[in-house]
Every structure is written in structure tokens, then in C-alpha cells.
Amino acid sequence: MQTYSGEHTEAPMLEGCVAWLECRLLPEPHNQQTYDLFLAEVVAAQADERVFSDGRWHFEGQDALRTLHHVAGGHFLTIGEPIDGRQL
């Protein structure tokens, strides 16, 4: 996979993603050492305009760009068809 430098951090950003978050690590030594937990502040966000505009995601007609999500225990799911809760 190809990477490029973030605009606000030196973190490598993966090409081909539909969204990116650039984060600044918040030092929390106790959490890091005890729980292997790292906290961060989002300092920049970007999204592919083909699937995100006007403040919302829309994957209709962009099946190849549907996002993959880890849910636990080695299981994943992809974003499905939208449901308008106002019409339920």
C-alpha cells in the first residue's frame, strides 16, 4: 500500500481509503503502560467526496468504496443500504 504524509501530522496516511483522521497523541503514561490504551485528539479529518458530502455518508452506487468495520473477535461488517429513521 502507498502512503503519503498527513497535512497536520507526520503520520503516514494510506492511499485508497475513503476517510482519514489525523490525530495527536495525548500522553497518558498510566493508561498506556497498564492497559495498553492510547488516547488521541483528532486534529484533522478528510473524506472522499464520492461517498461523503453535505455532512453525511452516501454509498449508493459506490459499492467498491463501502467501509469495512471490525466488530470484535475477528469479525467484520461492511456498510449496507441506508435506512431513513424518519420513515420508520
Side-chain angles (χ1 to χ4, degrees):
M1 269 207 163
Q2 298 292 320
T3 63
Y4 64 95
S5 295
E7 294 179 12
H8 300 275
T9 67
E10 294 183 20
M13 310 299 280
L14 290 176
E15 288 185 9
C17 294
V18 296
W20 303 262
L21 295 176
E22 291 185 64
C23 300
R24 179 180 64 86
L25 182 64
L26 300 175
E28 292 283 344
H30 174 73
N31 286 336
Q32 293 167 353
Q33 294 168 5
T34 305
Y35 305 108
D36 219 12
L37 175 68
F38 294 83
L39 304 177
E41 173 188 17
V42 175
V43 295
Q46 302 173 45
D48 188 317
E49 293 177 354
R50 293 176 292 176
V51 292
F52 187 85
S53 61
D54 298 323
R56 69 175 203 80
W57 295 99
H58 46 85
F59 290 95
E60 301 85 2
Q62 298 288 349
D63 288 344
L65 297 177
R66 290 186 185 273
T67 54
L68 178 69
H69 301 264
H70 180 257
V71 291
H75 298 278
F76 298 83
L77 58 87
T78 58
I79 292 295
E81 293 301 317
I83 298 171
D84 187 343
R86 298 170 294 183
Q87 297 179 0
L88 294 178

